Amino acid sequence: MANSEQFLPLEFEPLEDAAKIERARAFYQLMQRRRSVREFSDAPVPREVIEQALRTAGSAPSGANMQPWHFCVVASASVKREIRQAAEAEEREFYERRASEEWLDALAPLGTDAHKPFLETAPYLIVIFLKKFSEGGAGEQRKNYYTSESVGIATGMLLAALHNAGVATLTHTPSPMKFLNEILGRPVNERPYMVVVAGLPAEGAQVPAISKKPLDEIAEFI
């Protein structure tokens, strides 16, 4: 058993059942209004909002607490333009050559194409990198564990935190994304995981008329 000096008392807020249910319902009602936005305003968002949301993401659980993520927040207009140009080049390859007809048919209801103006318009691009290895205290390389699962959880918490703060988001994954390492100066042992576009919706922004599956189709109680 681990040395008790390595542990701290758990800070946990006990709630009555009614309060648990109310909080769960209120959070669902908040999150079910979140939509992926592709029409962004260039209106600014306070940097502190992004910082606090990243602190939330960084509090996510991770394999062996290795925290295998790195977040690059891009606000520079010139860097956003460079990212857009590189991303659109990959997207043109995807839509014109790489994607199967089945995949394109699945994307059709979303109205997406290789044109990605939001990468320049939105005030922030948060580029998330997955770190297969971390550096130890003595400079040695240490393997990280359950990296995809860990970074996926952190990304979900980031999206929830931004939505809770009134910031619209879009998850963007051009493939391949190695150009992001070069543009942002990140080492080769970090893999670009996702670009989260963050800002305010453009006036009159629209989203696809789609719905989510009901509970009985996505879960069962055994």
Side-chain angles (χ1 to χ4, degrees), residues 47-57 158 161:
R47 173 171 164 164
E48 186 175 356
V49 172
I50 305 300
E51 291 176 349
Q52 295 298 335
L54 289 171
R55 287 188 172 98
T56 296
L158 175 63

Side-chain angles (χ1 to χ4, degrees), residues 27-60:
F27 189 71
Y28 164 67
Q29 290 172 347
L30 170 70
M31 293 308 300
Q32 63 92 22
R33 292 193 295 273
R34 188 210 158 267
R35 295 297 304 270
S36 292
V37 171
R38 291 178 173 83
E39 299 173 40
F40 280 87
S41 163
D42 61 0
V45 170
R47 173 171 164 164
E48 186 175 356
V49 172
I50 305 300
E51 291 176 349
Q52 295 298 335
L54 289 171
R55 287 188 172 98
T56 296
S59 74

Side-chain angles (χ1 to χ4, degrees), residues 120-212:
E120 278 193 88
T121 308
Y124 293 106
L125 304 180
I126 305 174
V127 184
I128 304 168
F129 287 88
L130 180 155
K131 301 169 66 175
K132 283 291 186 182
F133 299 92
S134 293
E135 190 173 290
E140 76 280 9
Q141 198 173 65
R142 301 172 60 189
K143 181 181 178 181
N144 293 328
Y145 302 96
Y146 296 103
T147 52
S148 293
E149 295 86 345
S150 301
V151 178
I153 295 169
T155 300
M157 290 178 64
L158 175 63
L159 295 173
L162 289 169
H163 180 68
N164 181 61
V167 177
T169 55
L170 172 69
T171 57
H172 180 54
T173 52
S175 180
M177 292 192 281
K178 291 181 180 179
F179 63 86
L180 290 167
N181 291 75
E182 181 177 350
I183 292 173
L184 300 174
R186 299 309 303 169
V188 294
N189 67 323
E190 295 184 3
R191 176 169 65 84
Y193 184 84
M194 187 174 294
V195 179
V196 173
V197 185
L200 300 180
E203 185 175 354
Q206 295 186 322
V207 294
I210 57 176
S211 60
K212 301 298 183 181

Side-chain angles (χ1 to χ4, degrees), residues 100-112 210:
S100 66
E101 285 300 320
E102 183 180 16
W103 197 344
L104 293 174
D105 288 344
L107 289 171
L110 304 180
T112 61
I210 57 176

Side-chain angles (χ1 to χ4, degrees), residues 12-24:
F12 186 82
E13 179 187 7
L15 297 172
E16 297 293 333
D17 285 352
K20 293 186 183 76
I21 293 169
E22 177 56 32
R23 283 200 186 185

